[in-house]
Amino acid sequence: MIKSMNHTGFVVKDLDKATLFYRDIMGLKLISTYERDGSSISQVVGYENAHLKIAILSIEDGHRLELIQYVYPSGSERI
C-alpha cells in the first residue's frame, strides 16, 4: 500500500508560464528553480548533452510538484 509520495513531475513546454500558472492560479508555493546539465543528468534522462530547467513547488500537504523544461533536446528532438 502506498502511504505517501515525495513528488510528482511534469514536463512543460515553457517553465516560466507553467510556474506562474501553478503559483499564481493554483496557489502552490515556489520553493526553488535551477538548471541541470552535464553527464549525470544526461544519464538519468537518456539524452546526450541534456539541459533542463526545473522549478519545485510545494502543495499544502507537503507534496512537491517538479516542473521540467527541456532546453536541450527540445520537444520535437525527443520524439
Side-chain angles (χ1 to χ4, degrees), residues 10-19 32-37 41 45 50-57 65-73 78:
F10 294 148
V11 175
V12 299
K13 185 175 184 175
D14 184 316
L15 185 67
D16 294 331
K17 286 182 182 178
T19 300
S32 65
T33 59
Y34 57 96
E35 296 190 30
R36 300 264 326 254
D37 61 4
I41 195 63
V45 298
H51 179 186
L52 283 60
K53 290 171 47 175
I54 301 165
I56 304 294
L57 298 102
L65 176 62
E66 179 182 36
L67 302 175
I68 304 164
Q69 176 187 341
Y70 279 83
V71 176
Y72 183 84
R78 290 192 323 274

Side-chain angles (χ1 to χ4, degrees), residues 15-67:
L15 185 67
D16 294 331
K17 286 182 182 178
T19 300
L20 289 174
F21 172 78
Y22 284 102
R23 186 190 67 196
D24 297 347
I25 306 299
M26 300 300 293
L28 279 63
K29 180 180 176 185
L30 180 62
I31 303 297
S32 65
T33 59
Y34 57 96
E35 296 190 30
R36 300 264 326 254
D37 61 4
S39 61
S40 62
I41 195 63
S42 292
Q43 185 176 10
V44 169
V45 298
Y47 297 109
E48 284 189 44
N49 304 313
H51 179 186
L52 283 60
K53 290 171 47 175
I54 301 165
I56 304 294
L57 298 102
S58 179
I59 302 172
E60 286 184 18
D61 68 356
H63 190 82
R64 300 213 172 177
L65 176 62
E66 179 182 36
L67 302 175

Side-chain angles (χ1 to χ4, degrees), residues 1-7 61-63:
M1 171 191 337
I2 298 173
K3 295 184 179 186
S4 69
M5 293 179 71
N6 179 276
H7 76 281
D61 68 356
H63 190 82

